[in-house]
Amino acid sequence: MPLHKPYKDIPGTTIFDAEQSRLGYWLNQFCMSLMSAENRARFKADERAYLDEWAMTEDQKQAVIARDLNRCLALGGNIYFLAKIGATDGKSFQQMAGSMTGLSEEQYRQMMLAGGRPAEGNRSLADWENRKKETL
Amino acid sequence: MPLHKPYKDIPGTTIFDAEQSRLGYWLNQFCMSLMSAENRARFKADERAYLDEWAMTEDQKQAVIARDLNRCLALGGNIYFLAKIGATDGKSFQQMAGSMTGLSEEQYRQMMLAGGRPAEGNRSLADWENRKKETL
Amino acid sequence: MARITAAAFTSHVPAIGAAMDLGKTQEAYWQPVFAGYEASRQWLREQKPDVVFLVYNDHANAFSLDLIPTFAIGTAADYPIADEGWGPRPVPPVKGHPELAAHIAQSVIQEDFDLTIVNRMPVDHGLTVPLSLMCGERPADDFRWPFAVIPFAVNVVQYPVPSGRRCFELGKAIRRAIESFDEDLNVQIWGTGGMSHQLQGPRAGLINREWDNAFLDRLIADPAGLAAMPHIDYVREAGSEGIELVMWLIARGAMADIAGGPAPRVKHRFYHVPASNTAVGHLILED
Amino acid sequence: MARITAAAFTSHVPAIGAAMDLGKTQEAYWQPVFAGYEASRQWLREQKPDVVFLVYNDHANAFSLDLIPTFAIGTAADYPIADEGWGPRPVPPVKGHPELAAHIAQSVIQEDFDLTIVNRMPVDHGLTVPLSLMCGERPADDFRWPFAVIPFAVNVVQYPVPSGRRCFELGKAIRRAIESFDEDLNVQIWGTGGMSHQLQGPRAGLINREWDNAFLDRLIADPAGLAAMPHIDYVREAGSEGIELVMWLIARGAMADIAGGPAPRVKHRFYHVPASNTAVGHLILED
Ligand SMILES: [Fe+3]
Ligand SMILES: [Fe+3]
């Protein structure tokens, strides 16, 4: 019996479990290396060369270069590790989080000021399915 | 109420608890550094200079230089860490253990071949006190 | 004898630290957040704790994927400030309390909590933002925290994280350990992280004001019941990073009423949305 | 479904590894030790386990005083051989089983065992000597271990170490975890360390043949009772390093009879004094 993963039912969310962790090991370890100013400078000077020092998949490297955080999550990245890419770019956590939602930076900021994304309608895959149907 | 330490009653034995660990932190970390061939060579080339790179007490440094393992234990060393000094010297674990007992290397080896040190008479501080009295 | 005199609970949003470090606390966006901690700073100055047992989580700064402890207790004499990618925060280094920390470690391991003991560990915003919020800016002529800190890091990054019930039970054991320490110390225990927030994926930005406030209500009045809540409820209702709230149950479990004493007094309660991506919740309970 | 088919118990004396590495196994001193494992090597070749869950302790090689996990489970794909000060042993690197290891970690953490998950870890004689003893020398043309290994490191170096009862309970949880893994795997669980030995101080060289054999008897017939034995008895009767024997209770707790099944069959039992400073004990129990 495989482990019960009830969190697979949460929409728009990737729970970082052992499976994701295995997938993203080198991606996340690369991110961790950006904790030193020296490595941040080396990465910024030549992203591709720096990434090639790590045993990451080509997909993972492309996702990093594209700053596609959703793709990074799908490929095993964890947000606290990925945040170090954003930090290296001088981005805030709000800019990073917003970039994954399909909203513009300003739209996301406004949504947060207005009280954030409601739980209502965002609790389950079924919630999102229903919304999609209504929109059609 | 301080923690109960029943093991203080075992004679000729230093239990490596949190208190000893605090005492011996740098002594043990120094020992750990001898896990690389490069550091072993540097240590052998100039013991004093190598020891001075570590935040050890003078007592600890002297005990290491004298290879006085009992003193190292009293100063917070743990045997698995200290073993790396012996390894650097090319000593076996049996030579190291024997060196703490007051027996010669050959006497210790013979004792082990004959079945080791018996538990009888070696269980408690009182056991050793009684033995001392009998010897007098 | 050491005694736990109070518990404090607070979010540890990194942007709050950045706002303080960059002198933005009076900006319209941030002013309401810091207003919510004014009473707390006054209270803390009066309380003068000797030691704060600070429950938080590391955010991939001290611990990479090489090694993930479920519970890690710091027994070091000091802890450097982590460089999380933006450079280290300009806050004082953290002084530990090795004797009490080692005593707690020894006690709770003997009660079957399988702690990892840590002697070298940079501390990140999870620990320093609560200190900044509660202590205020540190003056240049007294650039140190006014008490010792025992960092207690909980894994809430890689699943599975410890259950609410496990955290609550651990809190009870920590209380017993602290109360059996010989030295006369005024100890506070802080639970940090939360409240509702999600930092990742298309669902990022989730906030659940109603759920957060119900959590605060139950934390005060029904902590044992609250401890039974499964992880999935946190994630579904409070966002993927809302799971950090399980850590509050460690601090709550260490209070007197759980050991059969009187109910705690609510000294302060505060709630605000937003700080960056997060709802800010804050509570002070006195024993 | 994965299933535990057998448990093996053995001392992991470093000198035994050195004797094999230096070609001394036929010397008069060592010959009786290795004779005691001949039947075991034959048995293991016939059993062909896919995975060995190997309970051992690190001896200040993977873990310094910077970080001391009570229980650490290896979820990596491979583990290098540690240089303990004499240079690394000339044995094959160890292949892990990341999927099963992660499954076990996830399961037992949810059962309130506060594991540390490790993805980078050199393994020392505590793990490699049992492999060498049970597998024999690895031929140059097939220089690898014949099965995957899940390293499970227990802190028995800095006090307090986990109690016998905690270890036994953990074994039960590990059994449930392994049996809930979907893939069809033949899994053995090994408990290593011990038997009586003391490596330090004026009391070094302590050996207690009678106590060791009573331990083996009770491990077979009364493991739950044995698990109640306090640490002080191990230290007093079996020497300061005899405490390693608590680890055997993890493997024993994972056997069928503890979960209500039939008693295990004793396939092999061996005891010898001395190997260097240590009594060698060895037991194979089949489920
Ligand atoms: Fe956090
Ligand atoms: Fe050992």
Side-chain angles (χ1 to χ4, degrees):
Chain A
M1 182 187 68
L3 288 165
H4 183 48
K5 296 189 172 180
Y7 44 79
K8 294 277 188 193
D9 181 49
I10 314 280
T13 302
T14 307
I15 292 298
F16 188 69
D17 58 12
E19 198 180 333
Q20 289 299 109
S21 180
R22 261 208 314 286
L23 209 59
Y25 182 75
W26 286 113
L27 168 57
N28 290 313
Q29 296 298 79
F30 145 71
C31 292
M32 199 81 185
S33 77
L34 299 177
M35 285 181 71
S36 91
E38 191 197 324
N39 286 341
R40 293 195 288 272
R42 285 184 53 227
F43 173 66
K44 282 203 267 195
D46 187 341
E47 298 200 359
R48 181 74 218 191
Y50 190 85
L51 287 167
D52 283 342
E53 295 171 19
W54 298 86
M56 296 160 62
T57 65
E58 182 58 30
D59 269 8
Q60 289 173 330
K61 294 179 191 176
Q62 293 295 346
V64 169
I65 290 169
R67 301 297 190 270
D68 183 344
L69 294 185
N70 278 323
R71 184 104 189 100
C72 286
L73 288 173
L75 297 172
N78 169 276
I79 188 59
Y80 292 121
F81 290 83
L82 297 174
K84 297 177 198 325
I85 304 173
T88 301
D89 292 338
K91 295 226 188 276
S92 73
F93 236 117
Q94 187 171 55
Q95 291 170 313
M96 287 186 254
S99 81
M100 290 178 268
T101 60
L103 301 177
S104 72
E105 193 178 322
E106 185 51 28
Q107 283 172 325
Y108 184 80
R109 188 177 161 88
Q110 286 305 324
M111 177 181 81
M112 293 316 298
L113 278 172
R117 184 187 306 280
E120 195 58 40
N122 292 302
R123 288 191 171 90
S124 63
L125 292 177
D127 278 355
W128 280 26
E129 278 304 313
N130 292 338
R131 192 143 37 126
K132 226 189 279 173
K133 278 180 211 148
E134 283 162 24
T135 322
L136 290 178
Chain B
M1 181 188 69
L3 289 165
H4 182 49
K5 296 189 173 181
Y7 45 80
K8 295 278 187 192
D9 180 49
I10 314 281
T13 302
T14 307
I15 292 296
F16 188 69
D17 59 12
E19 198 180 333
Q20 289 298 107
S21 180
R22 261 208 314 286
L23 208 59
Y25 182 75
W26 287 113
L27 168 56
N28 290 313
Q29 297 298 79
F30 144 71
C31 292
M32 199 82 186
S33 76
L34 299 177
M35 284 181 72
S36 90
E38 191 197 326
N39 286 341
R40 293 194 288 271
R42 284 185 53 228
F43 173 65
K44 282 203 268 194
D46 186 342
E47 298 199 1
R48 181 74 217 190
Y50 190 85
L51 288 167
D52 283 342
E53 294 172 19
W54 298 86
M56 296 160 62
T57 65
E58 182 57 30
D59 270 8
Q60 289 173 332
K61 293 178 193 176
Q62 294 294 347
V64 170
I65 289 168
R67 301 297 190 270
D68 183 343
L69 294 185
N70 278 323
R71 183 104 190 102
C72 287
L73 288 174
L75 297 172
N78 168 277
I79 188 59
Y80 292 121
F81 290 83
L82 298 174
K84 296 176 199 326
I85 304 174
T88 301
D89 292 338
K91 295 226 188 276
S92 72
F93 236 117
Q94 187 170 57
Q95 289 170 314
M96 287 186 254
S99 80
M100 291 177 267
T101 60
L103 301 177
S104 72
E105 192 178 323
E106 184 50 28
Q107 283 172 324
Y108 183 81
R109 188 178 159 87
Q110 287 304 325
M111 176 182 82
M112 294 316 299
L113 278 172
R117 184 187 305 281
E120 195 60 38
N122 291 302
R123 288 192 171 88
S124 63
L125 293 177
D127 277 356
W128 280 26
E129 279 305 313
N130 291 338
R131 194 145 32 129
K132 228 189 280 173
K133 278 180 215 153
E134 284 163 25
T135 321
L136 290 179
Chain C
M1 195 185 82
R3 63 209 183 287
I4 295 179
T5 56
F9 306 85
T10 180
S11 308
H12 58 211
V13 189
I16 292 177
M20 287 180 69
D21 301 341
L22 301 172
K24 295 184 179 175
T25 59
Q26 294 314 310
E27 290 184 5
Y29 184 94
W30 288 111
Q31 199 280 331
V33 173
F34 293 101
Y37 286 82
E38 259 164 44
S40 314
R41 291 177 181 181
Q42 184 56 37
W43 171 83
L44 188 62
R45 273 191 298 270
E46 287 158 12
Q47 292 289 312
K48 292 192 186 37
D50 301 300
V51 186
V52 169
F53 187 95
L54 206 159
V55 182
Y56 74 111
N57 65 295
D58 178 71
H59 305 77
N61 291 302
F63 303 117
S64 71
L65 293 184
D66 280 346
L67 195 138
I68 308 159
T70 294
F71 296 124
I73 186 167
T75 56
D78 29 65
Y79 305 91
I81 307 298
D83 178 348
E84 307 185 32
W86 292 271
R89 289 194 59 209
V91 293
V94 174
K95 267 196 46 181
H97 198 298
E99 296 78 15
L100 178 58
H103 173 91
I104 295 170
Q106 189 147 345
S107 305
V108 307
I109 291 172
Q110 287 180 351
E111 290 202 36
D112 291 348
F113 292 89
D114 316 313
L115 305 191
T116 291
I117 293 169
V118 188
N119 283 309
R120 185 150 68 175
M121 175 165 72
V123 289
D124 75 5
H125 72 267
L127 185 131
T128 64
V129 165
L131 287 176
S132 291
L133 270 172
M134 295 293 287
C135 300
E137 274 96 6
R138 306 310 302 155
D141 65 345
D142 190 20
F143 192 66
R144 54 195 174 99
W145 302 111
F147 41 74
V149 174
I150 298 176
F152 191 89
V154 179
N155 169 41
V156 294
V157 171
Q158 180 177 319
Y159 275 65
V161 313
S163 69
R165 191 192 60 242
R166 182 70 174 164
C167 289
F168 193 62
E169 292 299 320
L170 173 59
K172 296 185 196 175
I174 289 168
R175 179 185 185 81
R176 289 189 290 269
I178 290 173
E179 297 215 316
S180 70
F181 189 67
D182 246 347
E183 203 180 324
D184 200 28
L185 292 174
N186 175 359
V187 182
Q188 294 188 356
I189 183 164
W190 294 5
T192 75
M195 301 207 75
S196 58
H197 64 307
Q198 173 151 345
L199 302 177
Q200 52 124 339
R203 192 177 178 246
L206 188 116
I207 296 287
N208 194 337
R209 178 183 287 268
E210 204 170 25
W211 189 91
D212 283 344
N213 278 286
F215 188 95
L216 291 170
D217 290 342
R218 293 186 73 188
L219 189 73
I220 297 166
D222 176 30
L226 185 61
M229 187 163 65
H231 289 154
I232 184 68
D233 291 15
Y234 290 80
V235 179
R236 207 188 284 283
E237 298 293 336
S240 49
E241 280 61 60
I243 190 70
E244 290 185 340
L245 285 165
V246 291
M247 296 188 289
W248 294 27
L249 292 162
I250 296 176
R252 187 63 182 90
M255 298 202 72
D257 60 330
I258 311 301
R265 293 177 300 279
V266 180
K267 292 296 287 185
H268 187 54
R269 177 173 173 164
F270 173 64
Y271 185 78
H272 175 80
V273 174
S276 182
N277 307 284
T278 307
V280 176
H282 176 38
L283 194 61
I284 293 178
L285 301 180
E286 251 182 36
D287 251 351
Chain D
M1 197 185 79
R3 64 211 182 287
I4 295 179
T5 55
F9 306 85
T10 180
S11 308
H12 59 211
V13 190
I16 292 178
M20 288 181 70
D21 300 342
L22 301 172
K24 296 184 178 175
T25 59
Q26 294 314 309
E27 291 184 4
Y29 184 93
W30 287 112
Q31 200 278 334
V33 173
F34 292 102
Y37 286 81
E38 258 165 43
S40 314
R41 291 178 181 179
Q42 182 58 36
W43 171 82
L44 189 63
R45 272 192 297 272
E46 286 158 12
Q47 292 289 313
K48 292 191 186 37
D50 300 300
V51 186
V52 168
F53 188 95
L54 205 159
V55 183
Y56 75 112
N57 66 294
D58 178 70
H59 304 78
N61 291 302
F63 303 116
S64 72
L65 294 184
D66 281 346
L67 195 138
I68 307 159
T70 294
F71 295 125
I73 185 166
T75 57
D78 30 65
Y79 305 90
I81 307 299
D83 178 348
E84 307 184 33
W86 292 272
R89 289 194 60 210
V91 293
V94 174
K95 266 195 47 180
H97 197 299
E99 296 77 16
L100 178 58
H103 173 90
I104 295 170
Q106 187 145 346
S107 304
V108 307
I109 290 173
Q110 287 180 350
E111 291 201 37
D112 290 348
F113 292 89
D114 315 313
L115 305 191
T116 290
I117 294 170
V118 188
N119 283 309
R120 186 149 66 175
M121 177 166 69
V123 289
D124 74 6
H125 72 267
L127 186 130
T128 64
V129 165
L131 287 176
S132 292
L133 270 172
M134 295 293 287
C135 300
E137 276 95 4
R138 307 310 302 154
D141 64 345
D142 190 21
F143 192 66
R144 56 196 171 98
W145 302 111
F147 41 74
V149 173
I150 298 176
F152 192 88
V154 179
N155 169 41
V156 293
V157 171
Q158 182 176 319
Y159 275 65
V161 314
S163 69
R165 191 191 62 241
R166 183 68 175 164
C167 289
F168 194 61
E169 293 299 319
L170 173 59
K172 296 184 194 175
I174 288 168
R175 180 183 183 83
R176 289 188 289 270
I178 290 173
E179 297 216 313
S180 70
F181 189 67
D182 246 348
E183 202 180 325
D184 200 28
L185 291 174
N186 176 359
V187 182
Q188 294 188 356
I189 183 164
W190 295 5
T192 76
M195 302 207 72
S196 58
H197 64 307
Q198 172 150 344
L199 302 177
Q200 52 123 341
R203 191 177 179 246
L206 188 116
I207 296 286
N208 194 337
R209 178 184 288 269
E210 204 169 25
W211 189 91
D212 283 344
N213 278 284
F215 188 95
L216 291 170
D217 291 342
R218 292 186 73 189
L219 189 72
I220 297 166
D222 175 31
L226 185 62
M229 187 162 66
H231 289 154
I232 184 67
D233 291 14
Y234 289 82
V235 179
R236 206 187 284 282
E237 298 293 335
S240 49
E241 280 61 62
I243 190 70
E244 290 185 340
L245 285 166
V246 291
M247 296 188 289
W248 294 27
L249 292 163
I250 296 177
R252 188 63 182 89
M255 297 202 73
D257 59 331
I258 311 301
R265 293 177 301 280
V266 179
K267 292 296 286 186
H268 187 55
R269 177 172 173 164
F270 173 64
Y271 185 78
H272 175 80
V273 175
S276 182
N277 307 284
T278 307
V280 176
H282 175 40
L283 194 62
I284 294 178
L285 301 180
E286 252 182 35
D287 252 350

